Amino acid sequence: MYIRLVTVQVQLGKVDEAIALYSSLESEWKQHKGFLGAHLGINRSTDEGFSATIWESLEELQQTEASGWYQDVLPRFGSMLTAPPEMDIYEGAVNIENV
């Protein structure tokens, strides 16, 4: 399992718009092989946020970048952000669920 973690600084008053756009990407993510899930976290007091997308393999995560899809998605958020997003990729080490 691999995680793409993207951190952002959202413009004042644009948090709800960013949340709506993120939610609208659900069907697009689900079209990608290896996609396991996406989580958006928002700190409304600082307008900071993060996106964590989870993938079965590093290759499948990287395919979203190689296909150009990831680069196509980022500009959709451009007018809502105060700075370019910062991205890191992590190998999943522990997964604890309470299902």
Side-chain angles (χ1 to χ4, degrees), residues 21-97:
L21 177 55
Y22 192 91
S23 294
S24 76
L25 296 173
E26 180 178 358
S27 64
E28 292 183 46
W29 269 312
K30 288 181 175 181
Q31 294 175 22
H32 293 280
K33 184 177 184 228
F35 173 75
L36 297 175
H39 303 274
L40 177 65
I42 295 290
N43 180 332
R44 287 186 183 270
S45 65
T46 63
D47 295 319
E48 295 172 318
F50 73 85
S51 165
T53 55
I54 300 143
W55 303 86
E56 287 182 17
S57 72
L58 180 58
E59 294 76 22
E60 290 162 332
L61 182 157
Q62 291 171 330
Q63 182 56 35
T64 64
E65 295 172 24
S67 72
W69 179 79
Y70 180 75
Q71 291 81 358
D72 178 54
V73 167
L74 288 180
R76 297 184 210 175
F77 289 92
S79 66
M80 297 172 231
L81 306 180
T82 62
E86 295 183 21
M87 186 214 4
D88 289 302
I89 295 173
Y90 298 89
E91 180 180 358
V94 176
N95 185 38
I96 300 171
E97 294 183 31

